[in-house]
């Protein structure tokens, strides 16, 4: 099986080089992506492929259920590098319908460490309990929780001091919330974009 992957890699590299002989040489010197993607680890949500971007064009952070927890050193390191050094212009928090992580947060089953990782999603559920419980239990309610989780993570990113400081310096930066549909391959913009400090208190409610 792994031999297939190595063969795929050799073919991919050769194909890229054939179309553009300097492709990898250019990337070796520097990366200058304009976007940071914060998405779910789910294998069905491949960041670059979904938005048609080449290596070097998208800075990517993925974890279970696309969280942006303000105490997570991994996420914060990625965020700071993307904002302060790469100076990305757009950050997309990208959730997806049918997210196993989001469902696992609220299904009552004990799984171990991941239950702690998913704690922020139970908080999102609590803050929107009335709205969510008005939706019949099942797929529609789960999908709504996926959307609310994205909106919450957008807020986390926008309120982070790295992002707040970038806006204070006059840096151009927008934080967006998207959700991906596994069954169609399409991304939907949830309309919760925050583009500056003035917007923070006015985050549209989903
Ligand atoms: Co997921």
């Amino acid at each position: 099986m792994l031999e297939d992957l190595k063969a795929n890699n050799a073919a991919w590299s050769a194909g890229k080089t054939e179309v553009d002989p300097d492709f990898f040489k250019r990337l070796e010197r520097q990366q200058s992506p304009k976007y940071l993607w914060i998405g779910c680890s789910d294998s069905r949500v491949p960041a670059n492929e979904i938005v048609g971007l080449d290596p070097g064009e998208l800075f990517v952070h993925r974890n279970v259920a696309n969280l942006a927890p303000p105490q997570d050193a991994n996420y914060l390191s990625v965020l700071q590098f993307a904002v302060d050094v790469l100076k990305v212009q757009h950050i997309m928090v990208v959730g997806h319908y049918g997210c196993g992580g989001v469902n696992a947060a609220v299904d009552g089953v004990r799984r171990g460490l991941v239950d702690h990782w998913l704690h922020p999603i139970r908080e999102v559920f609590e803050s929107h309990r009335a709205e969510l419980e008005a939706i019949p239990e099942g797929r529609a309610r789960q999908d709504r929780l996926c959307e609310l989780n994205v909106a919450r993570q957008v807020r986390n990113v926008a309120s982070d001091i790295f992002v707040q400081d970038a806006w204070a310096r006059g840096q151009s930066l927008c934080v967006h919330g998207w959700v991906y549909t596994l069954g169609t391959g399409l991304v939907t913009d949830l309309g919760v974009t925050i583009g500056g400090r003035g917007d923070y208190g006015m985050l549209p409610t989903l």
Side-chain angles (χ1 to χ4, degrees):
M1 281 166 72
L2 284 181
E3 290 313 308
D4 291 346
L5 301 192
K6 291 172 193 167
N8 288 349
N9 169 250
W12 174 75
S13 168
K16 284 277 180 201
T17 311
E18 198 181 317
V19 176
D20 178 356
D22 290 330
F23 183 74
F24 292 109
K25 289 288 163 218
R26 256 194 335 268
L27 285 178
E28 190 180 26
R29 286 193 293 274
Q30 72 166 93
Q31 61 167 340
S32 53
K34 295 185 180 69
Y35 315 95
L36 166 62
W37 172 288
I38 299 173
C40 184
S41 297
D42 194 305
S43 64
R44 298 165 295 179
V45 194
N48 282 64
E49 220 169 320
I50 288 172
V51 287
L53 290 179
D54 263 328
E57 296 183 320
L58 187 66
F59 204 58
V60 175
H61 178 73
R62 291 169 68 182
N63 59 41
V64 175
N66 43 271
L67 297 180
Q71 290 84 22
D72 179 47
N74 184 358
Y75 147 70
L76 290 172
S77 304
V78 169
L79 180 67
Q80 183 178 27
F81 190 75
V83 171
D84 290 356
V85 181
L86 297 173
K87 297 193 164 42
V88 298
Q89 291 166 23
H90 297 277
I91 299 174
M92 299 89 93
V93 176
V94 187
H96 66 102
Y97 296 124
C99 182
V102 169
N103 297 342
V106 291
D107 68 3
V109 177
R110 291 285 172 266
R111 293 176 175 81
L113 179 60
V114 75
D115 295 323
H116 294 277
W117 172 254
L118 296 171
H119 182 85
I121 296 173
R122 286 192 291 281
E123 290 187 323
V124 171
F125 188 96
E126 284 308 321
S127 349
H128 297 86
R129 179 178 278 279
E131 183 200 335
L132 287 164
E133 287 187 342
I135 304 170
E137 204 174 342
R139 187 58 196 263
R141 189 193 285 181
Q142 291 166 2
D143 285 353
R144 183 61 182 150
L145 183 55
C146 288
E147 294 175 351
L148 293 168
N149 178 47
V150 167
R152 177 67 230 191
Q153 304 315 313
V154 165
R155 226 184 159 85
N156 281 0
V157 174
S159 59
D160 192 275
I161 51 167
F162 299 137
V163 172
Q164 292 282 313
D165 288 352
W167 281 330
R169 292 192 297 268
Q171 199 170 318
S172 166
L173 178 63
C174 285
V175 188
H176 311 268
W178 291 0
V179 66
Y180 176 76
T181 305
L182 296 172
T184 62
L186 294 173
V187 149
T188 305
D189 188 330
L190 292 175
V192 293
T193 298
I194 304 179
R197 288 202 292 180
D199 293 350
Y200 176 59
M202 297 182 288
L203 179 65
T205 5
L206 271 172

